[in-house]
Short mmCIF file of all heavy atoms in Angstrom, two decimals:
data_model
loop_
_atom_site.label_atom_id
_atom_site.label_comp_id
_atom_site.label_asym_id
_atom_site.label_seq_id
_atom_site.Cartn_x
_atom_site.Cartn_y
_atom_site.Cartn_z
N ILE A 1 91.71 165.46 149.77
CA ILE A 1 92.89 164.60 149.87
C ILE A 1 92.78 163.89 151.21
O ILE A 1 92.66 164.54 152.26
CB ILE A 1 94.20 165.40 149.80
CG1 ILE A 1 94.30 166.17 148.48
CG2 ILE A 1 95.41 164.48 149.97
CD1 ILE A 1 95.49 167.12 148.42
N MET A 2 92.77 162.58 151.17
CA MET A 2 92.59 161.84 152.43
C MET A 2 93.54 160.65 152.49
O MET A 2 93.98 160.12 151.46
CB MET A 2 91.14 161.37 152.58
CG MET A 2 90.61 160.51 151.47
SD MET A 2 88.81 160.18 151.64
CE MET A 2 88.12 161.79 151.25
N GLU A 3 93.88 160.27 153.71
CA GLU A 3 94.69 159.08 153.93
C GLU A 3 93.96 157.90 153.29
O GLU A 3 92.76 157.72 153.49
CB GLU A 3 94.90 158.85 155.42
CG GLU A 3 96.05 157.90 155.76
CD GLU A 3 95.72 156.44 155.53
OE1 GLU A 3 94.54 156.05 155.71
OE2 GLU A 3 96.64 155.68 155.17
N GLY A 4 94.70 157.10 152.50
CA GLY A 4 94.03 156.09 151.70
C GLY A 4 94.23 154.65 152.10
O GLY A 4 93.51 153.78 151.61
N SER A 5 95.18 154.34 153.00
CA SER A 5 95.43 152.92 153.29
C SER A 5 94.28 152.30 154.08
O SER A 5 93.98 151.11 153.91
CB SER A 5 96.75 152.76 154.05
OG SER A 5 96.68 153.28 155.36
N ILE A 6 93.64 153.08 154.94
CA ILE A 6 92.49 152.56 155.69
C ILE A 6 91.33 152.29 154.75
O ILE A 6 90.67 151.24 154.82
CB ILE A 6 92.10 153.54 156.81
CG1 ILE A 6 93.21 153.58 157.87
CG2 ILE A 6 90.77 153.15 157.45
CD1 ILE A 6 93.08 154.72 158.84
N ILE A 7 91.07 153.24 153.86
CA ILE A 7 90.03 153.04 152.85
C ILE A 7 90.34 151.82 152.00
O ILE A 7 89.47 150.98 151.74
CB ILE A 7 89.90 154.30 151.97
CG1 ILE A 7 89.30 155.44 152.79
CG2 ILE A 7 89.06 154.02 150.72
CD1 ILE A 7 89.32 156.78 152.09
N SER A 8 91.60 151.68 151.59
CA SER A 8 92.01 150.56 150.76
C SER A 8 91.80 149.22 151.47
O SER A 8 91.28 148.27 150.90
CB SER A 8 93.48 150.72 150.36
OG SER A 8 93.87 149.73 149.45
N ALA A 9 92.20 149.16 152.74
CA ALA A 9 92.05 147.91 153.49
C ALA A 9 90.58 147.56 153.69
O ALA A 9 90.18 146.40 153.55
CB ALA A 9 92.75 148.04 154.84
N LYS A 10 89.77 148.56 153.99
CA LYS A 10 88.36 148.28 154.27
C LYS A 10 87.58 147.96 153.00
O LYS A 10 86.71 147.08 153.00
CB LYS A 10 87.73 149.44 155.04
CG LYS A 10 88.21 149.50 156.49
CD LYS A 10 87.45 150.51 157.31
CE LYS A 10 87.92 150.51 158.77
NZ LYS A 10 87.55 149.27 159.49
N ARG A 11 87.90 148.61 151.90
CA ARG A 11 87.19 148.25 150.66
C ARG A 11 87.60 146.87 150.19
O ARG A 11 86.80 146.11 149.64
CB ARG A 11 87.35 149.32 149.59
CG ARG A 11 88.75 149.59 149.04
CD ARG A 11 89.16 148.61 147.96
NE ARG A 11 90.11 149.15 147.02
CZ ARG A 11 91.00 148.41 146.40
NH1 ARG A 11 91.12 147.10 146.65
NH2 ARG A 11 91.82 148.97 145.52
N THR A 12 88.87 146.49 150.43
CA THR A 12 89.32 145.15 150.08
C THR A 12 88.59 144.11 150.91
O THR A 12 88.12 143.09 150.39
CB THR A 12 90.84 145.03 150.29
OG1 THR A 12 91.51 145.98 149.47
CG2 THR A 12 91.34 143.63 149.96
N ALA A 13 88.50 144.35 152.21
CA ALA A 13 87.81 143.42 153.10
C ALA A 13 86.31 143.36 152.79
O ALA A 13 85.70 142.28 152.83
CB ALA A 13 88.04 143.83 154.55
N ALA A 14 85.71 144.50 152.48
CA ALA A 14 84.29 144.52 152.13
C ALA A 14 84.03 143.72 150.86
O ALA A 14 83.03 142.99 150.76
CB ALA A 14 83.81 145.96 151.97
N SER A 15 84.93 143.84 149.88
CA SER A 15 84.82 143.07 148.65
C SER A 15 84.92 141.58 148.93
O SER A 15 84.14 140.76 148.41
CB SER A 15 85.91 143.51 147.68
OG SER A 15 86.02 142.62 146.59
N ALA A 16 85.88 141.19 149.77
CA ALA A 16 86.05 139.78 150.12
C ALA A 16 84.82 139.25 150.86
O ALA A 16 84.37 138.12 150.61
CB ALA A 16 87.30 139.60 150.98
N ALA A 17 84.27 140.04 151.77
CA ALA A 17 83.09 139.61 152.52
C ALA A 17 81.88 139.49 151.61
O ALA A 17 81.05 138.57 151.77
CB ALA A 17 82.81 140.59 153.66
N LEU A 18 81.75 140.41 150.65
CA LEU A 18 80.65 140.31 149.69
C LEU A 18 80.78 139.05 148.85
O LEU A 18 79.78 138.36 148.58
CB LEU A 18 80.64 141.55 148.79
CG LEU A 18 79.55 141.62 147.73
CD1 LEU A 18 78.17 141.71 148.37
CD2 LEU A 18 79.78 142.81 146.79
N ALA A 19 82.02 138.72 148.46
CA ALA A 19 82.24 137.48 147.71
C ALA A 19 81.89 136.26 148.56
O ALA A 19 81.24 135.32 148.07
CB ALA A 19 83.70 137.41 147.25
N ALA A 20 82.31 136.26 149.82
CA ALA A 20 82.00 135.14 150.70
C ALA A 20 80.49 134.99 150.86
O ALA A 20 79.94 133.88 150.78
CB ALA A 20 82.66 135.34 152.06
N GLN A 21 79.81 136.09 151.07
CA GLN A 21 78.35 136.08 151.22
C GLN A 21 77.67 135.52 149.97
O GLN A 21 76.67 134.81 150.07
CB GLN A 21 77.86 137.49 151.51
CG GLN A 21 76.40 137.61 151.86
CD GLN A 21 76.04 139.06 152.13
OE1 GLN A 21 76.24 139.94 151.29
NE2 GLN A 21 75.54 139.34 153.32
N SER A 22 78.23 135.82 148.81
CA SER A 22 77.63 135.40 147.55
C SER A 22 77.99 133.97 147.18
O SER A 22 77.17 133.24 146.60
CB SER A 22 78.09 136.34 146.42
OG SER A 22 77.76 137.68 146.72
N LEU A 23 79.21 133.55 147.49
CA LEU A 23 79.70 132.23 147.08
C LEU A 23 79.58 131.17 148.16
O LEU A 23 79.60 129.98 147.87
CB LEU A 23 81.17 132.34 146.66
CG LEU A 23 81.50 133.29 145.52
CD1 LEU A 23 83.01 133.45 145.37
CD2 LEU A 23 80.88 132.81 144.22
N HIS A 24 79.48 131.61 149.40
CA HIS A 24 79.51 130.70 150.55
C HIS A 24 78.36 131.09 151.49
O HIS A 24 78.59 131.57 152.60
CB HIS A 24 80.86 130.85 151.26
CG HIS A 24 81.29 129.64 152.03
ND1 HIS A 24 81.92 128.57 151.46
CD2 HIS A 24 81.17 129.33 153.34
CE1 HIS A 24 82.19 127.67 152.37
NE2 HIS A 24 81.75 128.10 153.53
N PRO A 25 77.12 130.91 151.04
CA PRO A 25 75.97 131.47 151.76
C PRO A 25 75.52 130.71 153.01
O PRO A 25 74.41 130.92 153.48
CB PRO A 25 74.88 131.44 150.69
CG PRO A 25 75.23 130.26 149.83
CD PRO A 25 76.73 130.23 149.80
N GLU A 26 76.39 129.87 153.54
CA GLU A 26 76.03 129.15 154.76
C GLU A 26 76.01 130.13 155.94
O GLU A 26 77.00 130.78 156.24
CB GLU A 26 77.04 128.04 155.03
CG GLU A 26 77.19 127.05 153.88
CD GLU A 26 78.36 126.10 154.13
OE1 GLU A 26 78.77 125.96 155.30
OE2 GLU A 26 78.85 125.52 153.16
N GLU A 27 74.88 130.23 156.61
CA GLU A 27 74.75 131.18 157.72
C GLU A 27 75.48 130.71 158.97
O GLU A 27 75.71 131.49 159.89
CB GLU A 27 73.28 131.42 158.03
CG GLU A 27 72.52 132.09 156.88
CD GLU A 27 71.07 132.34 157.22
OE1 GLU A 27 70.67 131.97 158.37
OE2 GLU A 27 70.35 132.88 156.37
N SER A 28 75.82 129.43 159.02
CA SER A 28 76.38 128.86 160.25
C SER A 28 77.91 128.77 160.23
O SER A 28 78.48 127.96 160.96
CB SER A 28 75.79 127.47 160.49
OG SER A 28 76.09 126.61 159.40
N VAL A 29 78.59 129.55 159.41
CA VAL A 29 80.05 129.50 159.36
C VAL A 29 80.62 129.88 160.73
O VAL A 29 80.34 130.95 161.25
CB VAL A 29 80.60 130.44 158.27
CG1 VAL A 29 82.11 130.54 158.37
CG2 VAL A 29 80.19 129.95 156.90
N LYS A 30 81.41 129.00 161.30
CA LYS A 30 82.01 129.25 162.61
C LYS A 30 83.53 129.31 162.56
O LYS A 30 84.15 129.85 163.47
CB LYS A 30 81.57 128.16 163.60
CG LYS A 30 80.08 128.16 163.88
CD LYS A 30 79.70 127.11 164.90
CE LYS A 30 78.21 127.17 165.20
NZ LYS A 30 77.81 126.13 166.20
N ARG A 31 84.12 128.75 161.48
CA ARG A 31 85.57 128.71 161.36
C ARG A 31 86.01 129.43 160.10
O ARG A 31 85.38 129.34 159.06
CB ARG A 31 86.09 127.27 161.32
CG ARG A 31 85.91 126.49 162.59
CD ARG A 31 86.47 125.08 162.42
NE ARG A 31 87.90 125.09 162.13
CZ ARG A 31 88.85 125.06 163.07
NH1 ARG A 31 88.51 125.00 164.35
NH2 ARG A 31 90.12 125.06 162.74
N LEU A 32 87.12 130.12 160.22
CA LEU A 32 87.71 130.84 159.09
C LEU A 32 89.20 130.54 159.05
O LEU A 32 89.88 130.62 160.08
CB LEU A 32 87.48 132.34 159.25
CG LEU A 32 88.21 133.27 158.28
CD1 LEU A 32 87.74 133.05 156.84
CD2 LEU A 32 88.02 134.73 158.70
N GLY A 33 89.70 130.20 157.88
CA GLY A 33 91.13 129.99 157.71
C GLY A 33 91.77 131.24 157.14
O GLY A 33 91.25 131.85 156.21
N LEU A 34 92.90 131.63 157.72
CA LEU A 34 93.61 132.84 157.30
C LEU A 34 95.06 132.51 157.02
O LEU A 34 95.77 132.01 157.91
CB LEU A 34 93.53 133.91 158.39
CG LEU A 34 92.13 134.40 158.79
CD1 LEU A 34 92.22 135.28 160.03
CD2 LEU A 34 91.48 135.16 157.64
N ILE A 35 95.52 132.81 155.81
CA ILE A 35 96.92 132.63 155.46
C ILE A 35 97.48 134.01 155.19
O ILE A 35 97.09 134.70 154.24
CB ILE A 35 97.06 131.70 154.24
CG1 ILE A 35 96.52 130.31 154.59
CG2 ILE A 35 98.52 131.62 153.79
CD1 ILE A 35 96.35 129.40 153.39
N GLY A 36 98.38 134.44 156.06
CA GLY A 36 98.88 135.81 156.06
C GLY A 36 98.27 136.57 157.22
O GLY A 36 97.05 136.76 157.29
#
């Protein structure tokens, strides 16, 4: 039994980063827009 919100946040972010890496493969990304 383990605290789950940290795991949840990190797996969500890892999924988003994997999607970005796959869909937006530009190595020179310098700007990121964040809403929320």
Side-chain angles (χ1 to χ4, degrees):
I1 300 173
M2 57 187 72
E3 197 284 327
S5 69
I6 292 167
I7 290 171
S8 186
K10 287 188 178 291
R11 64 82 152 151
T12 300
S15 168
L18 180 65
Q21 187 179 57
S22 303
L23 301 171
H24 206 83
E26 303 171 21
E27 296 181 0
S28 60
V29 171
K30 295 182 178 180
R31 293 181 61 90
L32 170 65
L34 299 170
I35 297 169

